[in-house]
Amino acid sequence: MKLFPFGHATHPQWEMAAGLALAQLRAQMALPDYASTPSLGLLYITDHYAAQAQDILDHLMAELPGVADWSGTVGVGICANNAEYIDEPALAVMLCDLPSDQYRVFSGVAPLGIGFDANTALVHADSGTPDLGELIAEMAARTGSGRVFGGLASSRGDVLQFAVAGNGTLPGHGRAGGVFQGGLSGVAFSEEVSLVSRVTQGCQPITRQMQVTAAEGNVILGLDQEPALDRLLKDLSISLERPQEAMATLRSTLVGLSLPGGAAVGRTGSFGDEVRVRHIIGLDPGRRGVAVAEQVEAGMPMAFCQRNGRAARADLVRICAEIREALEPEEMSAPLAASLALPEALSAPHPQRRIAGAVYVSCTGRGGPHFGGPNAELQVIRHALGEVPLVGFFAAGEIAGQQLYGYTGVLTVFTTPAHGG
């Protein structure tokens, strides 16, 4: 597997942006370390281009006839390598060099059927889809690993997804051109496609882990056998007798929940991958309860938390380090070690990093502003992994494992087999 060609650009006219991205793709496809005949295209556009989505897809398919399959979606922001395009017209494309029998494009109209053994899947979804959480869990359960990754499309207008199979259509789509609305879509991958995926949380616990001891629907009634509201007020040092002060603190406070039997706060004092962060949406003084944007049940571990840029940066560095350590050869020659140790700004993509390409899905509430400046989030990844092909988007919810997250980043890399020296 060679490096995946990728291109990205911003321009008020989509034709100009597409032309710039195509020029980058073609230049890379002519280089020896990059794939020259990739088969799968991943396309992400900002919602500025939503009305032209079909034109963009048709143009790319015509200009890249060797790329038989396409998947992607729309976001209020997209990303590529070390660049974030937020609230501006932009597109990003990555061409994946995978054998056609090792992946399968699917959509709600043409779901993943029998005849293909999926090990995991890149999933794009419409947040307006009924029972979305159950659909994601069902999709994950149909894979060999029991895990999927991706995110919910985000848009101030039409919520669109791309799904095109080898002959230009998918079974059941009729003559549709590959741009769809609603449900799930994406790419399922067989066990032969090597992937490493990690979740980074954007929040930091501000209390110790507690257990939900009483709940009804989405209202937490008891925490460690105490009334939940009393515990909240005590842990945050606020009083309802000073409502303005209390509301200011509550607006910045969220709840991190895990499934019964799990753990909310790890040994390092941070949230683990299994934690779902949800808003506090109301207080119930009569029942001394706390309402959250999630169905809650007794036995769930939880902790109150706050969004924290410093913690988010540290956790993003952590998952990048885990990926890098998992992929770099245990033994390497002196020239290779010197090459990989170059300052990242000078370090060109290197096959021995074993990363052919990467997809990053981040929350719309993250991005540069949360990390201290434009492109800062993507620069953290670039600094840790080097110049690797990467595309992605800012989502209305992130998908990892079998769950739907918020305020997280999901980084997935396509890896190549290890080689000696």
Side-chain angles (χ1 to χ4, degrees), residues 24-50:
Q24 298 166 48
L25 292 167
R26 288 168 175 147
Q28 292 170 13
M29 291 165 70
L31 298 175
D33 287 337
Y34 283 84
S36 58
T37 57
S39 57
L40 170 65
L42 299 181
L43 169 62
Y44 297 109
I45 64 173
T46 61
D47 56 0
H48 290 71
Y49 288 155

Side-chain angles (χ1 to χ4, degrees), residues 3-9 20-29 34-35 38 42 79-83 85 91-96 349 356-358 382 386-392:
L3 294 167
F4 295 169
F6 72 109
H8 54 101
L20 292 168
L22 284 166
Q24 298 166 48
L25 292 167
R26 288 168 175 147
Q28 292 170 13
M29 291 165 70
Y34 283 84
L42 299 181
C79 58
N81 193 256
N82 67 331
Y85 299 103
L91 57 83
V93 182
M94 186 165 72
L95 305 179
C96 307
R382 180 175 180 248
E387 287 272 12
V388 300
L390 180 149
V391 297

Side-chain angles (χ1 to χ4, degrees), residues 324-325 327-341 350 352-354 419-421:
R324 186 182 66 238
E325 290 167 6
L327 299 182
E328 286 187 349
E330 294 183 6
E331 297 182 2
M332 62 182 75
S333 64
L336 173 59
S339 173
L340 297 185
H350 200 297
Q352 287 298 325
R353 289 186 186 278
R354 297 182 54 208
H419 299 287

Side-chain angles (χ1 to χ4, degrees), residues 104-107 110-118 139 142 188:
R104 183 74 54 83
V105 176
F106 64 90
S107 77
L112 189 64
I114 60 174
F116 183 79
D117 293 327
M139 181 70 199
R142 296 173 63 187

Side-chain angles (χ1 to χ4, degrees), residues 88-371:
E88 60 182 321
L91 57 83
V93 182
M94 186 165 72
L95 305 179
C96 307
D97 184 30
L98 301 171
S100 60
D101 61 347
Q102 294 182 9
Y103 68 87
R104 183 74 54 83
V105 176
F106 64 90
S107 77
V109 180
L112 189 64
I114 60 174
F116 183 79
D117 293 327
N119 189 58
T120 187
L122 167 61
V123 177
H124 308 119
D126 187 331
S127 61
T129 302
D131 302 320
L132 183 56
E134 289 81 355
L135 289 175
I136 292 170
E138 179 184 331
M139 181 70 199
R142 296 173 63 187
T143 67
S145 68
R147 301 177 66 86
V148 296
F149 62 96
L152 308 187
S154 61
S155 176
R156 287 158 294 195
D158 291 338
V159 178
L160 306 169
Q161 299 173 55
F162 300 106
V164 176
N167 63 353
T169 63
L170 286 169
H173 283 174
R175 297 183 61 83
V179 178
F180 305 96
Q181 292 180 286
L184 307 181
S185 70
V187 188
F189 301 100
S190 70
E191 191 174 14
E192 288 78 18
V193 179
S194 181
L195 296 165
V196 178
S197 191
R198 293 288 187 274
V199 178
T200 177
Q201 300 279 2
C203 297
Q204 181 72 18
I206 56 173
T207 64
R208 66 174 180 83
Q209 177 174 301
M210 297 168 277
Q211 188 176 67
V212 176
T213 49
E216 183 176 327
N218 67 326
V219 181
I220 302 172
L221 298 173
L223 289 171
D224 286 353
Q225 305 298 335
E226 294 183 43
L229 179 56
D230 295 351
R231 189 59 186 262
L232 170 67
L233 298 175
K234 180 167 57 178
D235 284 353
L236 300 184
S237 301
I238 57 176
S239 171
L240 296 183
E241 295 178 359
R242 300 190 297 275
Q244 289 186 330
E245 177 184 327
M247 288 305 298
T249 301
L250 286 170
R251 287 192 187 99
S252 63
T253 303
L254 302 98
V255 172
L257 293 162
S258 188
L259 296 174
V265 182
R267 288 178 296 177
T268 61
S270 300
F271 284 144
D273 290 359
E274 69 280 5
V275 173
R276 293 169 290 178
V277 176
R278 298 293 187 258
H279 282 286
I280 294 174
I281 59 175
L283 305 178
D284 188 339
R287 294 187 294 173
R288 310 304 292 171
V290 178
V292 299
E294 177 80 12
Q295 294 296 301
V296 189
E297 60 182 282
M300 282 184 163
M302 66 139 287
F304 294 112
C305 60
Q306 291 181 337
R307 296 184 61 206
N308 184 308
R310 182 179 301 176
R313 176 182 286 269
D315 201 52
L316 181 56
V317 170
R318 174 188 65 81
I319 68 161
C320 290
E322 287 181 2
I323 291 173
R324 186 182 66 238
E325 290 167 6
L327 299 182
E328 286 187 349
E330 294 183 6
E331 297 182 2
M332 62 182 75
S333 64
L336 173 59
S339 173
L340 297 185
L342 285 171
E344 301 303 344
L346 303 177
S347 179
H350 200 297
Q352 287 298 325
R353 289 186 186 278
R354 297 182 54 208
I355 299 176
V359 175
Y360 187 55
V361 180
S362 186
C363 179
T364 55
R366 289 165 60 99
H370 189 53
F371 284 77

